[in-house]
């Protein structure tokens, strides 16, 4: 990961709001991050923390209404995607940014063959003719490790197993050599042994193709294994961000610290009782005027109820949105 | 809870050679074309007060096994004894009388609660069905149960949709507890919950176990969570238990190659450990349970496969005290504390004599 390189993707102050009959839901609040060429950025958070909505907002994949991207900039190689026309966005999706979704059954079209679905972006974006697209599709299926690729092009999604379907999804996302690959919980629906296969495949593909990847998951273990940097989200905000080793070794935000303690480990001494994060995640009915984690935080003090902590730098490329200093154990 | 193998403790649940095959019907006359062998001959015991964890990947039959043990299905073959009573062949009417003793907590707290009933009505339903309490006593019991699982009494008249996933799972647990059961099958009770909520529910289950002396069969695909909650663990693959062992022994040194691969595949939330872990990457997918391979079920993916594995299905047997495994790799190892060792010794000796006689 070259440090000084210009980011391929730069997101600044993104805000997404859902307008519902019951009022506005502020799903993404001032999220900023950048992605350098060839790096893997892990995004962790629980359901409702805004991680998927953030990524969907980047490419205009949310239905509007009810979704509304209120503010922010999404710079892909210097161009603001939020200002792009629908036509312009369509050229970006699948061409410059590939997307892999969580459930490979619902994101593949059951009435078209797998071959057709891999060839579609090649023919639309790359203007390939049928024969070249076909050759490339075979190449892609080989790349993602599907045996007997030539014949399997004629198969329909239901003829593949879950892990194989996810490989097909990855092949489609990689079809046009995108600069950025966004993978939204790509292994959550899979079994651990199949997940291990897919993770191995992604590690290998990264080395070979060198694209930048955003990997969304709720599994801290997956992040620890593959990510270079990690973004921890809670209540629609980035609460902690930094290089993966640094964040796991010195977690700064009380949420990250609690989360790391609440997950039982397989290879470390077993604890008699699990640590618990009491309470529920917040409902984001209004723009946050206080820390979203204050109700569940063991260190919360009066300032946390008055003000939403901004992200502050704590060195080594590590930042956190918290008024409490984990090193001194006192307010900053 | 002690992690000993439970010698001397009472067996609450004894399952022997349980089979649950679902017919595949097809053709013009809906004839049976074959069967899905969801559970294909499993045997295990659960001691009173312990938690038996059942792990495996989707489709391995762990949920079917849990449901079959409670006789939510009419089983194909085998014997199930719960608290000394054989229920394998009982009719559903006879079973009804035993239901208060054995209960179930389901995976999806959204789907297993009737959206048109209030929380009080949901928790009170088993009391109405099986109990003889007056309306007032029943309501008191409902409040008692809500306290036990950590739900606010004031929410008794709300409907399930007003609760979060973790709270709904608490409602499901309260309902299962209503009749003072001895044995509860928890079928993936935390799979649908967020990471920060999972620990809350697991701790609750442990507290309740200590308080009411419950016995759990805890079905899950999450190996780290099973390591936390279970005393002994059964690993299932394609309808069979491949390994059954006390928790610490199993996680320290898995004996079956599948258990080994399964454990190595679990990602650890620590980049340093992640960098060190040697992953055993299994190739291919799980075979179909309607058409399992010949010999050992795992022979199509096993990294340590031998010739014999393609021919003979390994016997599920005790290779060390309390440790059961079905694998040809352990054919040579003899159980240490069994008369069987003596017997085998005897047979070899008699063979020698025969050979001697021939010569």
């Amino acid at each position: 990961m070259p440090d000084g390189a210009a980011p391929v993707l730069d997101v600044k102050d993104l805000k997404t709001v859902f307008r519902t009959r019951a009022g506005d839901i502020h799903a993404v609040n001032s999220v900023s991050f950048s992605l350098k060429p060839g790096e893997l950025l892990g995004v962790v958070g629980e359901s409702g923390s805004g991680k998927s909505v953030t990524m969907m907002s980047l490419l205009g994949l949310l239905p509007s209404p009810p979704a509304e991207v209120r503010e922010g900039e999404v710079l892909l190689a210097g161009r603001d995607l939020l200002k792009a026309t629908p036509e312009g966005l369509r050229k970006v999706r699948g061409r410059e940014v590939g997307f892999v979704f969580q459930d490979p059954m619902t994101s593949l079209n059951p009435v078209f063959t797998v071959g057709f679905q891999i060839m579609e972006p090649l023919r639309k974006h790359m203007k390939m003719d049928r024969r070249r697209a076909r050759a490339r599709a075979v190449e892609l299926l080989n790349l993602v490790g599907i045996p007997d690729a030539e014949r399997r092009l004629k198969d329909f999604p239901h003829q593949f197993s879950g892990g194989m379907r996810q490989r097909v999804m990855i092949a489609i996302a990689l079809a046009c050599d995108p600069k950025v690959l966004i993978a939204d919980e790509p292994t959550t629906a899979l079994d651990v042994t199949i997940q291990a296969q897919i993770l191995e495949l992604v590690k290998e593909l990264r080395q070979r193709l060198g694209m930048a990847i955003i990997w969304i998951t709720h599994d801290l273990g997956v992040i620890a294994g593959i990510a270079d940097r990690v973004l921890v989200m809670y209540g629609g905000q980035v609460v902690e961000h930094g290089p993966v080793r640094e964040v796991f070794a010195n977690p700064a935000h009380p949420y990250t610290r609690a989360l790391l303690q609440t997950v039982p480990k397989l290879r470390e001494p077993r604890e008699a009782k699990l640590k618990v994060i009491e309470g529920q995640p917040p409902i984001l009915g209004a723009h946050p005027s206080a820390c979203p984690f204050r109700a569940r935080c063991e260190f919360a003090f009066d300032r946390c109820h008055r003000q939403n902590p901004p992200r502050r730098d704590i060195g080594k490329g590590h930042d956190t949105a918290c008024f409490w200093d984990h090193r001194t154990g006192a307010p900053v | 809870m002690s992690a000993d193998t439970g010698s001397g403790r009472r067996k609450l649940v004894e399952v022997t050679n349980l089979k649950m095959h679902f017919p595949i019907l097809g053709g013009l006359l809906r004839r049976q074309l074959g069967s899905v062998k969801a559970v294909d001959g499993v045997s295990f015991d659960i001691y009173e007060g312990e938690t038996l964890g059942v792990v495996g990947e989707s489709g391995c039959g762990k949920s079917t096994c849990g449901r079959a043990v409670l006789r939510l299905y009419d089983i194909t073959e085998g014997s199930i004894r719960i608290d000394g009573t054989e229920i394998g062949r009982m009719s559903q009417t006879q079973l009804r009388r035993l239901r208060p003793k054995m209960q179930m907590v389901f995976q999806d707290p959204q789907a297993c609660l009737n959206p048109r009933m209030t929380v009080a009505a949901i928790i009170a339903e088993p009391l109405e069905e099986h109990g003889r309490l007056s309306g007032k006593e029943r309501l008191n019991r409902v409040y008692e149960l809500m306290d036990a699982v950590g739900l606010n009494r004031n929410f008794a008249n709300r409907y399930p949709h007003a609760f979060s996933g973790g709270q709904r799972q608490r409602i499901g647990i309260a309902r299962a507890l209503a009749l003072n059961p001895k044995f509860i099958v928890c079928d993936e009770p935390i799979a649908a919950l967020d990471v920060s909520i999972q620990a809350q529910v697991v701790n609750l289950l442990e507290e309740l176990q200590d308080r009411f002396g419950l016995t759990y069969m805890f079905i899950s695909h999450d190996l780290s969570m099973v390591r936390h909650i279970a005393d002994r663990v059964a690993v299932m693959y394609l309808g069979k238990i491949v390994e059954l062992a006390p928790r610490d022994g199993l996680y320290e040194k898995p004996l079956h190659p599948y258990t080994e691969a399964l454990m190595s595949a679990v990602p650890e939330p620590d980049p340093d450990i992640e960098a060190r872990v040697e992953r055993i990457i299994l190739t291919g997918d799980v075979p179909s349970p309607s058409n399992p391979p010949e010999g050992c079920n795992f022979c199509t993916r096993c990294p340590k496969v031998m010739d014999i594995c393609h021919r003979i299905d390994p016997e599920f047997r005790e290779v060390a005290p309390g440790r059961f495994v079905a694998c040809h790799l352990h054919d040579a190892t003899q159980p240490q504390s069994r008369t069987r060792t003596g017997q085998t010794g005897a047979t070899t000796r008699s063979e020698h004599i025969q050979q001697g006689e021939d010569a």
Side-chain angles (χ1 to χ4, degrees):
Chain A
M1 172 189 33
D3 235 15
V8 266
L9 183 70
D10 202 356
V11 178
K12 285 176 195 153
D13 273 328
L14 189 72
K15 261 181 211 158
T16 305
V17 175
F18 287 94
R19 317 197 64 149
T20 65
R21 270 188 295 175
D24 290 359
I25 303 287
H26 292 250
V28 178
N29 296 308
S30 308
V31 167
S32 306
F33 64 91
S34 65
L35 184 69
K36 297 193 192 82
E39 114 179 297
L40 199 149
L41 176 71
V43 181
V44 263
E46 298 175 70
S47 41
S49 64
K51 52 196 193 308
S52 294
V53 176
T54 304
M55 300 311 153
M56 307 269 267
S57 308
L58 303 183
L59 292 178
L61 286 173
L62 293 169
S64 177
E68 188 187 310
V69 181
R70 286 236 171 115
E71 273 172 47
E73 263 185 346
V74 178
L75 299 173
L76 180 74
R79 203 154 56 95
D80 192 350
L81 292 184
L82 295 183
K83 296 205 180 78
T85 57
E87 193 57 37
L89 269 179
R90 203 171 303 146
K91 288 203 176 108
V92 172
R93 290 183 206 131
R95 174 78 184 83
E96 286 166 67
V97 181
F99 225 114
V100 180
F101 297 94
Q102 172 170 358
D103 186 348
M105 193 64 235
T106 49
S107 44
L108 288 169
N109 191 330
V111 302
F112 291 106
T113 62
V114 159
F116 177 86
Q117 296 183 60
I118 302 178
M119 278 146 68
E120 195 180 6
L122 292 168
R123 302 196 49 173
K124 287 262 160 31
H125 288 305
M126 315 283 277
K127 310 281 179 238
M128 284 188 184
D129 60 38
R130 194 170 304 222
R131 194 189 310 160
R132 278 183 53 218
R134 215 186 129 72
R136 171 85 177 133
V138 171
E139 198 182 297
L140 283 162
L141 284 189
N142 281 325
L143 183 73
V144 295
I146 294 181
D148 206 2
E150 193 87 35
R151 197 177 53 80
R152 301 235 55 180
L153 283 182
K154 293 192 206 87
D155 284 351
F156 288 89
H158 73 264
Q159 289 166 295
F160 289 79
S161 67
M164 285 294 164
R165 264 181 233 140
Q166 201 56 292
R167 284 169 194 260
V168 171
M169 279 304 294
I170 294 173
I172 296 174
L174 294 177
C176 303
D177 273 328
K179 292 188 201 113
V180 177
L181 178 71
I182 300 177
D184 187 356
E185 305 248 12
T187 57
T188 305
L190 306 176
D191 280 313
V192 273
T193 59
I194 309 294
Q195 168 172 287
Q197 288 177 6
I198 300 283
L199 292 178
E200 210 56 29
L201 171 70
V202 169
K203 280 184 201 163
E204 194 194 308
L205 289 177
R206 267 185 78 194
Q207 280 181 349
R208 259 208 264 176
L209 308 175
M211 74 224 128
I213 302 177
I214 297 176
W215 192 283
I216 305 172
T217 179
H218 63 264
D219 190 333
L220 291 161
V222 171
I223 292 287
I226 61 167
D228 299 313
R229 275 193 302 142
V230 56
L231 207 62
V232 184
M233 290 191 69
Y234 187 82
Q237 304 185 23
V238 176
V239 294
E240 184 158 5
H241 156 255
V244 77
R245 273 168 192 276
E246 168 65 19
V247 170
F248 278 82
N250 304 306
H253 197 279
Y255 173 64
T256 322
R257 297 169 75 91
L259 201 59
L260 279 169
Q261 282 174 347
T262 190
V263 201
K265 319 277 184 299
L266 198 67
R267 298 171 184 89
E268 273 167 48
R270 178 181 171 276
E271 285 174 47
K273 203 152 178 66
L274 289 178
K275 296 239 170 47
V276 164
I277 311 179
E278 294 294 345
Q280 306 287 332
I283 295 156
L284 310 156
H287 188 73
S289 56
C291 175
F293 191 58
R294 64 188 186 283
R296 306 173 79 184
C297 181
E298 51 180 320
F299 307 109
F301 56 102
D302 51 345
R303 193 178 174 193
C304 309
H305 299 275
R306 282 186 280 111
Q307 211 182 335
N308 190 12
R311 282 164 71 180
R312 62 185 170 86
D313 192 25
I314 53 172
K316 295 187 196 161
H318 189 173
D319 62 70
T320 179
C322 185
F323 292 130
W324 176 79
D325 192 334
H326 71 288
R327 281 168 296 202
T328 58
V332 194
Chain B
M1 217 100 344
S2 70
D4 67 58
T5 49
S7 47
R9 282 198 288 160
R10 200 167 75 92
K11 288 174 185 170
L12 187 71
V13 181
E14 291 166 77
V15 176
T16 322
N17 196 25
L18 175 67
K19 286 187 184 170
M20 183 66 233
H21 296 180
F22 295 101
I24 304 171
L25 303 174
L28 196 58
L29 297 166
R30 309 279 300 151
R31 262 193 288 242
Q32 183 168 347
L33 302 176
S35 57
V36 176
K37 299 182 174 103
V39 177
D40 199 20
V42 305
S43 305
F44 58 88
D45 301 325
I46 308 179
Y47 295 93
E48 196 161 25
E50 84 165 346
T51 302
L52 177 77
V54 180
V55 294
E57 297 179 278
S58 43
C60 73
K62 54 189 191 305
S63 287
T64 309
C65 182
R67 287 161 171 256
V69 167
L70 289 189
R71 281 295 316 279
L72 300 187
Y73 296 124
D74 284 327
I75 60 170
T76 313
E77 216 183 294
S79 130
I80 304 162
R81 290 175 78 83
I82 293 186
D83 208 7
T85 320
E86 169 65 49
I87 63 163
R89 289 274 156 251
M90 251 184 203
S91 70
Q92 292 295 339
T93 344
Q94 285 172 300
L95 276 168
R96 244 183 92 78
R97 268 184 285 126
L98 296 174
R99 291 275 174 225
K101 255 194 236 171
M102 44 191 202
Q103 288 288 319
M104 185 144 183
V105 174
F106 295 93
Q107 170 169 6
D108 188 347
Q110 172 87 52
C112 74
L113 303 176
N114 187 336
R116 303 179 70 165
M117 286 165 82
T118 63
V119 169
I122 289 171
I123 302 177
E125 201 180 11
L127 299 169
E128 282 165 32
E129 290 291 322
H130 291 280
R132 283 192 180 66
L133 297 177
S134 70
K136 194 157 175 245
E137 287 169 325
R138 209 184 296 141
L139 192 62
N140 278 334
R141 176 78 180 132
V142 169
Y143 284 148
E144 218 177 278
L145 289 161
M146 289 183 76
D147 290 345
V149 299
L151 284 170
N152 191 331
R153 286 182 179 207
N154 298 332
F155 297 165
N157 288 322
R158 296 198 183 179
Y159 290 88
H161 71 85
F163 293 87
S164 68
Q167 288 169 322
R168 278 192 211 125
Q169 201 53 284
R170 286 171 196 264
I171 301 172
I173 294 171
R175 176 176 60 184
L177 285 176
L179 297 165
N180 290 321
K182 285 188 168 170
F183 175 52
I184 300 184
V185 174
C186 306
D187 185 6
E188 302 256 17
I190 53 164
L193 306 177
D194 262 319
V195 196
S196 76
I197 309 296
Q198 287 185 352
Q200 294 179 5
V201 172
V202 165
N203 278 0
L204 172 68
L205 286 171
E206 286 184 325
E207 274 164 39
L208 294 171
Q209 182 169 43
D210 290 347
R211 224 168 109 191
F212 302 115
L214 300 169
T215 304
Y216 291 141
M217 176 169 171
F218 188 91
I219 300 165
S220 176
H221 64 268
D222 184 338
L223 281 109
S224 342
M225 204 50 105
V226 166
R227 176 176 177 231
H228 179 80
I229 197 170
D231 300 308
R232 288 189 309 139
V233 181
V235 183
M236 283 190 75
Y237 185 79
L238 208 63
K240 288 186 174 157
I241 295 183
V242 295
E243 186 164 0
L244 173 67
R247 175 233 305 150
D248 291 338
L250 184 85
Y251 282 82
E252 252 160 51
K253 193 178 179 302
L255 294 179
H256 197 282
Y258 176 65
T259 320
E260 226 179 320
L262 194 62
M263 296 211 177
S264 86
V266 178
E268 191 82 15
D270 183 335
D272 293 329
I273 294 181
E274 272 295 302
R276 278 203 318 265
V277 167
E278 279 178 38
R279 291 256 135 81
I280 303 167
I281 306 282
L282 293 178
T283 49
D285 294 302
V286 186
S288 155
S290 61
N291 185 23
E294 204 166 309
C296 173
N297 273 350
F298 189 52
C299 71
T300 53
R301 301 170 81 196
C302 182
K304 296 180 179 170
V305 67
M306 302 176 291
D307 280 347
I308 187 175
C309 308
H310 292 289
R311 286 182 283 113
I312 301 165
D313 191 13
E315 192 195 340
F316 180 66
R317 55 196 206 66
E318 195 169 13
V319 293
R323 298 205 62 165
F324 296 84
V325 64
C327 181
H328 289 303
L329 285 174
H330 302 280
D331 276 351
T333 20
Q334 291 300 328
Q336 297 148 353
S337 63
R338 276 292 154 97
T339 43
R340 212 186 284 166
T341 336
Q343 282 169 359
T344 339
T347 21
T348 26
R349 204 178 311 134
S350 64
E351 272 166 18
H352 281 303
I353 295 165
Q354 280 172 351
Q355 279 167 357
E357 279 169 355
D358 281 344

